[in-house]
Amino acid sequence: MKDKISKLVNVYRKHGFIGFIKKCYVYVVANYIDKISFEVFFKKKKYRKIIREILQSANAERVILWRSSFGYEHPLWQRPQHILNNLRKQKCLVFYEVTTMTDKVKTLKKEEDNLYLFNYNNASLNKILMEELDNFDKPKYIQLYCTDWKLTIPNIESYLSRGFKFIYEYIDDLSPELSGTKELPKAISDKYNYVMKNEDVYIVVSARKLEEDVHKKRGTKNVVYSTNGVDYAHFETYDYDFKFELEYQAILDKKKPIVMYYGAIAKWFDYELIKKIDALGKYSIVLFGIKYDDSYDASGIGELENVYFMGSRDYKVLKNYAKEASILTIPFKINSITEATSPVKIFEYMALHKPIVITDLNECRQYESVLIGHDHDEFIALLDKALKKKNDKKYIELLDKEARENDWSFKAQAILDLIKKDE
């Protein structure tokens, strides 16, 4: 209960009173009211037939239940959507958990071949799925994020007792800052401790720091390193008739080189570095994303002359904005969270063929195309160097090569290789 109270306090701070009320209403509907579905209760035969036909007709070698509340229609596409989309292309039948925070799915919905959005909060529907899967004679998996704080160990063991295997995606440092609570939620720490004691659990790590942690605590069995990646094909084309809003067009009209970042803006963002770049008066600093906490407002950078916070943009159109940047950047502080981070954006930056300047992130040191500033002075000096690389053919070829090497299809294949050895 204290985890939920802590989360509610954080939601209130982020969204204010009206936003807080709206979020609470949606949460109550999703987690309590939607559990009781008269639509399914009175039409059990209909939904049993639908699910049975899905299982019988799918061109799939296994079933994966994705059980983490990261909505499919979230405007910022992240690892869950990309990984599960690529797994479904490789003969995995996926039932992807939806959240009414972003998805309008009361029961289930076919999104793509082998990919169904599924409302696990719907108790009657979930029961039917589990009963039908009891008779499904192909490998079955439950897959979730390490940051999931909804499922408990008894929930996991219930799946295992029905013949499922467990894929644990260890993709972030486990921190209250990321979970948005005062202390790390018990459901998160309990699953972590369980996984570290059970070698039969498949662990997917997205960063070397996390891999080292697993090796130290339970060895190398059933562990695979699979960083974040990029949907390379998505960045091969742009909407050349796309119309920018007046606010963004006004920035372009200034004709200053644009230093751009997109993603979450939180306590690990280096606001002091941004202030130093602003003081040069040479660049327009454009930030797209979501304020993860109150650190942006507290920092005062929103009052600076050359800093522009643009809010979030849908994944589908964000590339059109990024195309106009001169330099793409990740100005993070170095701490336990960022040292264990494989930024999705670093690979998307590569596919955008733009010079990349970042702080000294442990997981990004392995990429030759990335310019790393070890302190503020070096970072700022590298901005000048990056401008000169903007039209450098060899550098662009290097960016392209590293983007292609990190396509999401390879990341999904690494997970498949891990689990297929035991099928």
Side-chain angles (χ1 to χ4, degrees), residues 3-4 7 146-151 179 181 185 187-188 191:
D3 293 334
K4 290 185 178 180
K7 184 72 172 180
C146 62
T147 51
D148 168 72
W149 65 328
K150 188 174 182 180
L151 295 188
S179 62
T181 53
I188 293 179
K191 286 197 288 292

Side-chain angles (χ1 to χ4, degrees), residues 318-411:
L318 182 58
K319 62 183 179 180
N320 298 307
Y321 293 87
K323 174 174 68 73
E324 302 299 324
S326 303
I327 302 166
L328 294 168
T329 184
I330 305 179
F332 286 173
K333 295 177 181 177
I334 306 303
N335 57 30
S336 60
I337 293 175
T338 58
E339 283 188 336
T341 296
S342 170
V344 173
K345 63 186 68 65
I346 201 77
F347 308 107
E348 295 178 350
Y349 287 178
M350 293 171 184
L352 284 158
H353 295 168
K354 300 289 182 177
I356 303 168
V357 180
I358 68 170
T359 48
D360 189 19
L361 300 177
N362 181 66
E363 193 57 33
C364 298
R365 294 172 186 163
Q366 61 188 299
Y367 306 113
E368 191 180 346
S369 63
V370 176
L371 306 180
I372 296 177
H374 297 84
D375 56 38
H376 288 181
D377 290 341
E378 183 179 13
F379 188 101
I380 289 171
L382 286 174
L383 294 178
D384 283 339
K385 183 176 180 180
L387 278 181
K388 296 174 183 176
K389 285 181 170 290
K390 192 168 64 169
N391 298 311
D392 185 324
K393 183 180 178 182
K394 286 188 176 180
Y395 179 66
I396 293 172
E397 288 174 351
L398 176 61
L399 287 165
D400 188 75
K401 173 179 176 291
E402 293 194 320
R404 289 176 183 272
E405 290 171 348
N406 286 282
D407 189 87
W408 282 113
S409 59
F410 299 123
K411 313 305 178 177

Side-chain angles (χ1 to χ4, degrees), residues 46-58 93 116 132:
K46 170 189 171 182
Y47 282 95
R48 188 175 297 279
K49 181 181 179 182
I50 290 172
I51 291 174
R52 188 171 292 173
E53 287 179 350
I54 290 171
L55 295 175
Q56 291 175 347
S57 63
L93 175 59
Y116 292 82
E132 291 302 312

Side-chain angles (χ1 to χ4, degrees), residues 153-193:
I153 294 303
N155 294 146
I156 299 298
E157 290 180 334
S158 176
Y159 278 110
L160 298 180
S161 70
R162 301 180 89 137
F164 281 77
K165 293 186 177 181
F166 182 15
I167 304 172
Y168 180 82
E169 291 236 349
Y170 191 13
I171 49 84
D172 271 315
D173 177 63
L174 298 184
S175 163
E177 286 184 272
L178 287 174
S179 62
T181 53
K182 188 175 181 180
E183 298 176 1
L184 190 67
K186 188 174 185 296
I188 293 179
S189 57
D190 282 352
K191 286 197 288 292
Y192 170 81
N193 292 327

